[in-house]
Amino acid sequence: MAFSTDFLIIGTGISGLSFALKAAKIGRVTIVTKKAKVDTATNLAQGGIAAVLSKDDSYDLHIQDTLRSGAGLCKEEIVRMVVENGPDRIRELINIGVHFMTREHDPAHLDLGKEGGHSARRIAHALDLTGREIENALLHKVAENPDIHLLENHLAVDLLIGSKAGVKPSTSNLDDLCLGAYVLDRESGQIDNWRARVTVLCSGGCGKVYLYTTNPDIATGDGIAMAYRAGARVGNLEFVQFHPTCLYHPLTKNFLISEAVRGEGGRLIDAKGVHFMEKYDSRGDLATRDAVARAIDTEMKASGDDCVYLDISHKDAGFIKKRFPNIYQTCLSYGIDITKQPIPVVPAAHYMCGGVMTDMWGRTNIENLFALGETACTGLHGGNRLASNSLLEAVVFANQAYLACDNEKDRILSTALHESPEWSTGKARMINEKVLISHNWDQIRRLMWNYVGIVRSVNRLNLVKKRLEPILREVAHHFRDYFLTPDLVELRNIALVAELIVQSSLLRKESRGLHAIVDYPEQDNVNWLHDTILSRSDKTIKSYLLDPDEYE
Ligand code: SIN
């Protein structure tokens, strides 16, 4: 079946929903999301959203903190634009119904939290459930808007791309333009053509490429993979942020212990109760995430222990329960009373600082294709994202993209909705052994965890490249041979993103920010002060997954 819309938004996190609410002033909006609308990373975000909101803070301080964390790779004009937009975007969120915590004795002012790498208190929060508060408020507004149509259980498979030959070119000199997406309706099993004048990738990150992650199950790199396959430029994929403190417990797989716990005095200790962060960084427990995750990794490797501990039990029990109700209750349900005992924690894949390359307006190099939120690489995060800058980036760039579309609305609304070929199943057949998917899924995630983790080496990267090769080839063949299922679509996406992360990591011959590689321990500002860009048009880089026959 074929459907059409003015704006097709893929994903229901903070960036997709924020953009939808604004784009609905221009035209018809359709949002597709592959599972339930609340299955987003936004919904799990605990810490909050960073912005300059007090007289003890300044734009310059926030800019400096972001640049310092980003290890030389942030684009300063983007950082400035995002930081200076922060207060307005927070006010907008408040106006649509987000309740950030205010000070107990001064409700006119927000209660601002602190996190690693920030030199001032600047995190607007809703205790440790900030993401849920934002997600609920946005979904509520979206539901009230008759111009927005939200489809759950609709998984985007690939972008519809046309060449501009035959289509009147606009002012840009781009070769390709995005015409919408092929979308798998999970209920009917059909793949529909969704034709759109503007397509916006907001499908989150790719934590599921790794065995251990704080991300929800939806984080399979769909946006990055679709964009790369379509010819978009993707960048900085070697900069995978590992959150230092994920709960270590056999019964839970992705529960985050917010950095705000360290912001309120929590300290990292080893199994003997010894603080260790000062050994590694003068900023101690509030060093930036790259430094803290590496320190924990070093401690765990040296001691052979399975985890380290985060201790906040020295603080008043009433304060802990009030400030961190979700963390307190969740840990208690696993038998850990955080008011009395340290919390076992390990680092886990948390955030992709790279992504689909965009300009200041969220535009990619493919016309009418935007990327927002964790899917995008805007230049804000550089080599290491500053804590709580991601929700900020998402709302600011949703606004930027809206402004860009509004500015061009006449062109956009008069863009023809082109006929596009139906999805072809070729000689595909039903897959009758799901283990063909699950085994590869498991292997990729284990390989990435063990070989492309917090500290890398050229040897391990080359080994993983070799070991991924037959898996990627097999996934490519499954994709050709079997009817698409959601699991197969996601497997293909994590496989491609894994391959791209390995390629990017091998390209960057230095250690910087989140990319630590033992063979090149120093930062090299002469040769490597630039993004690592991958694109299908670069014929020097081949993909076992996308071009398997070139290797047969
Ligand atoms: C946290 O609460 O530690 C996560 C916040 C973030 O990733 O920015």
Side-chain angles (χ1 to χ4, degrees):
M1 300 258 279
F3 301 95
S4 62
T5 185
D6 295 322
F7 295 92
L8 178 66
I9 300 173
I10 300 170
T12 48
I14 181 171
S15 56
L17 299 178
S18 303
F19 178 77
L21 288 171
K22 295 187 172 190
K25 295 184 222 163
I26 306 176
R28 291 168 305 144
V29 175
T30 303
I31 313 177
V32 291
T33 188
K34 65 181 175 180
K35 286 190 174 163
K37 57 192 172 205
V38 291
D39 286 325
T40 66
T42 301
N43 206 36
L44 296 188
Q46 295 184 357
I49 173 162
V52 176
L53 297 162
S54 96
K55 61 178 175 23
D56 304 325
D57 197 4
S58 70
Y59 289 150
D60 280 343
L61 276 179
H62 191 179
I63 291 167
Q64 286 315 319
D65 292 345
T66 303
L67 293 175
R68 193 143 84 107
S69 181
L73 281 193
C74 302
K75 296 196 172 66
E76 198 164 338
E77 72 281 10
I78 298 288
V79 176
R80 180 164 295 279
M81 181 279 286
V82 172
V83 165
E84 291 182 354
N85 257 276
D88 282 350
R89 302 285 78 78
I90 299 272
R91 272 189 284 277
E92 248 169 33
L93 286 173
I94 294 171
N95 287 340
I96 65 154
V98 175
H99 291 105
F100 291 112
M101 290 306 289
T102 52
R103 292 190 208 153
E104 202 168 338
H105 302 295
D106 180 11
H109 288 98
L110 293 180
D111 175 55
L112 300 175
K114 191 155 195 285
E115 291 179 0
H118 289 276
S119 57
R121 284 195 169 261
R122 64 168 72 101
I123 318 294
H125 66 88
L127 300 172
D128 53 3
L129 289 164
T130 311
R132 194 178 301 175
E133 173 65 22
I134 295 174
E135 181 82 22
N136 285 344
L138 288 168
L139 281 173
H140 191 77
K141 281 282 167 206
V142 162
E144 283 175 352
N145 193 316
D147 294 318
I148 305 177
H149 187 44
L150 193 157
L151 295 167
E152 296 182 303
N153 294 315
H154 280 66
L155 167 60
V157 176
D158 261 324
L159 295 171
L160 288 162
I161 297 291
S163 151
K164 289 211 301 200
V167 179
K168 199 97 196 104
S170 71
T171 46
S172 81
N173 56 4
L174 303 172
D175 293 332
D176 296 324
L177 78 168
C178 184
L179 308 174
Y182 289 112
V183 177
L184 171 62
D185 175 342
R186 296 172 86 115
E187 269 156 35
S188 68
Q190 294 273 62
I191 297 178
D192 298 320
N193 283 21
W194 269 93
R195 297 182 206 147
R197 296 191 160 90
V198 169
T199 303
V200 191
L201 297 169
C202 314
S203 54
C206 56
K208 295 301 276 190
V209 169
Y210 285 89
L211 189 58
Y212 301 111
T213 174
T214 62
N215 290 182
D217 288 345
I218 52 101
T220 51
D222 305 343
I224 296 171
M226 281 190 282
Y228 181 79
R229 286 194 293 268
R233 298 160 78 231
V234 300
N236 291 357
L237 297 178
E238 66 276 34
F239 295 112
V240 179
Q241 187 169 69
F242 290 81
H243 196 291
T245 57
C246 182
L247 178 63
Y248 177 71
H249 190 280
L251 296 181
T252 178
K253 58 176 181 175
N254 65 352
F255 188 69
L256 180 72
I257 308 295
S258 174
E259 194 152 321
V261 172
R262 276 178 287 131
E264 296 301 343
R267 306 209 56 192
L268 287 160
I269 53 176
D270 64 17
K272 297 194 187 93
V274 179
H275 298 136
F276 56 81
M277 268 316 298
E278 280 71 17
K279 238 176 15 194
Y280 297 91
D281 196 299
S282 58
R283 296 167 293 180
D285 292 288
L286 284 180
T288 45
R289 277 189 194 162
D290 52 345
V292 181
R294 268 197 304 276
I296 296 176
D297 187 63
T298 310
E299 288 288 310
M300 284 170 55
K301 282 190 174 127
S303 65
D305 291 338
D306 291 333
C307 63
V308 295
Y309 298 84
L310 177 58
D311 189 17
I312 190 159
S313 62
H314 50 281
K315 298 284 279 196
D316 175 66
F319 166 76
I320 297 173
K321 289 183 202 172
K322 196 163 169 205
R323 177 65 181 83
F324 301 111
N326 179 36
I327 296 175
Y328 171 73
Q329 282 302 339
T330 306
C331 288
L332 203 59
S333 73
Y334 294 111
I336 304 158
D337 182 346
I338 69 170
T339 65
K340 299 200 173 95
Q341 65 192 109
I343 313 164
V345 290
V346 284
H350 181 61
Y351 191 87
M352 169 47 84
C353 293
V356 185
M357 298 302 290
T358 71
D359 66 7
M360 165 145 331
W361 306 98
R363 294 184 290 218
T364 70
N365 61 306
I366 297 179
E367 190 161 320
N368 296 341
L369 178 67
F370 289 70
L372 302 176
E374 193 174 347
T375 307
C377 181
T378 64
L380 176 69
H381 306 314
N384 179 35
R385 175 180 66 96
L386 184 65
S388 287
N389 263 357
S390 45
L391 294 178
L392 175 67
E393 180 192 48
V395 274
V396 169
F397 271 88
N399 187 57
Q400 293 291 105
Y402 159 68
L403 294 176
C405 292
D406 194 45
N407 196 31
E408 282 204 86
K409 68 173 173 245
D410 293 341
R411 176 188 73 77
I412 289 171
L413 294 177
S414 59
T415 301
L417 287 161
H418 297 279
E419 289 297 323
S420 43
E422 294 282 308
W423 182 265
S424 159
T425 49
K427 295 193 178 126
R429 55 190 197 280
M430 283 300 253
I431 190 160
N432 49 16
E433 292 187 307
K434 292 203 175 135
V435 68
L436 297 180
I437 309 283
S438 59
H439 183 77
N440 284 328
W441 170 265
D442 200 52
Q443 278 203 313
I444 292 170
R445 298 183 65 211
R446 257 174 219 285
L447 276 171
M448 292 299 287
W449 183 258
N450 289 325
Y451 287 69
V452 199
I454 297 171
V455 179
R456 299 158 182 176
S457 75
V458 171
N459 182 35
R460 269 187 280 123
L461 289 172
N462 279 325
L463 276 173
V464 75
K465 199 169 162 213
K466 216 184 257 159
R467 291 196 186 176
L468 275 175
E469 181 193 326
I471 302 173
L472 296 170
R473 210 190 288 281
E474 199 175 303
V475 174
H477 289 161
H478 289 345
F479 191 77
R480 187 192 58 198
D481 296 342
Y482 297 114
F483 289 131
L484 291 195
T485 63
D487 289 348
L488 180 50
V489 173
E490 289 185 334
L491 172 65
R492 179 181 179 234
N493 290 338
I494 70 156
L496 178 58
V497 175
E499 190 181 24
L500 297 176
I501 293 174
V502 173
Q503 285 178 353
S504 304
S505 303
L506 276 167
L507 281 175
R508 185 171 289 280
K509 295 183 174 35
E510 63 156 357
S511 287
R512 179 187 298 275
L514 295 158
H515 178 65
I517 182 156
V518 293
D519 311 75
Y520 307 102
E522 303 300 329
Q523 192 164 301
D524 175 354
N525 287 335
V526 176
N527 298 304
W528 281 103
L529 203 52
H530 59 80
D531 297 326
T532 317
I533 307 286
L534 300 179
S535 148
R536 285 189 86 178
S537 62
D538 177 355
K539 297 295 175 209
T540 61
I541 294 183
K542 292 207 169 50
S543 160
Y544 287 114
L545 183 67
L546 300 184
D547 322 295
D549 298 337
E550 296 197 23
Y551 289 90
E552 311 271 23

